[in-house]
Amino acid sequence: MAWNVDGTRMPYRQHSEVPRRLYVDNELFQGKYLVGGRAISISNIHCPMLAVAAVADHVAPWHSVYRLHLQSDATELTFVLTSGGHNVGIVNEPGHPCRRFQMATCKEGERCLDAETWEAQTRVTQGSWWPVWDQWLVQRSSGSATSPLMGAPEKG
């Protein structure tokens, strides 16, 4: 958990405005979040989506994240509910014996379940959700590329 005490590495204005606009004022869900001067809407995203929520998240409670199903017009929406809270649920790398997750996909045209029914009916998988996310990305990607060099090699 040492990463948790690291600075945000975000400019002050971004660190103060983005959480307020996304979490407190909920502008993205309401279709009021501006990007390049234009309001964006979740319903305008027409590609596969994978959303992750954590059971004990105090910032973004999983039931509220699950409501993405109400606004999404994605070709498929895969929802992952992972054990842990706001940080541990997301930074849930493989190798921890107590981690678990649930995952299901709602495809375009299918009726999505309410959150409680989804939780009761979706199989619990032991381990980290990261390997399944990696598979999800690989299945929808056009291939891999070499990562760019990091840092300043000329400066050593």
Side-chain angles (χ1 to χ4, degrees):
M1 294 295 289
W3 63 270
N4 202 23
V5 298
D6 193 11
T8 62
R9 301 193 194 284
M10 295 171 68
Y12 171 79
R13 182 174 173 194
Q14 181 182 15
H15 188 254
S16 64
E17 287 183 11
V18 170
R20 184 178 336 101
R21 292 175 63 201
L22 292 178
Y23 297 121
V24 178
D25 298 335
N26 207 11
E27 290 180 14
L28 181 59
F29 194 78
Q30 296 174 25
K32 297 178 182 177
Y33 190 76
L34 298 178
V35 175
R38 295 179 57 197
I40 61 170
S41 174
I42 293 169
S43 64
N44 289 337
I45 301 171
H46 302 289
C47 63
M49 293 174 63
L50 185 139
V52 182
V55 172
D57 193 331
H58 63 286
V59 176
W62 84 265
H63 285 85
S64 65
V65 177
Y66 188 83
R67 276 188 252 153
L68 181 63
H69 287 85
L70 299 175
Q71 286 206 334
S72 171
D73 195 24
T75 55
E76 65 180 39
L77 174 55
T78 300
F79 186 76
V80 177
L81 180 60
T82 182
S83 59
H86 182 70
N87 295 325
V88 172
I90 302 304
V91 182
N92 193 351
E93 73 277 9
H96 293 283
C98 298
R99 305 288 196 253
R100 64 190 180 288
F101 67 95
Q102 293 172 270
M103 183 173 111
T105 300
C106 183
K107 296 189 178 191
E108 192 171 29
E110 293 179 350
R111 186 175 194 97
C112 295
L113 301 172
D114 64 273
E116 288 75 22
T117 303
W118 181 92
E119 183 183 26
Q121 293 182 2
T122 303
R123 179 176 56 93
V124 174
T125 302
Q126 296 300 314
S128 170
W129 61 275
W130 285 14
V132 177
W133 177 40
D134 181 60
Q135 292 170 4
W136 187 91
L137 290 169
V138 167
Q139 290 170 356
R140 289 156 185 83
S141 298
S142 60
S144 59
T146 304
S147 299
L149 293 175
M150 300 297 289
E154 69 280 356
K155 295 183 179 179

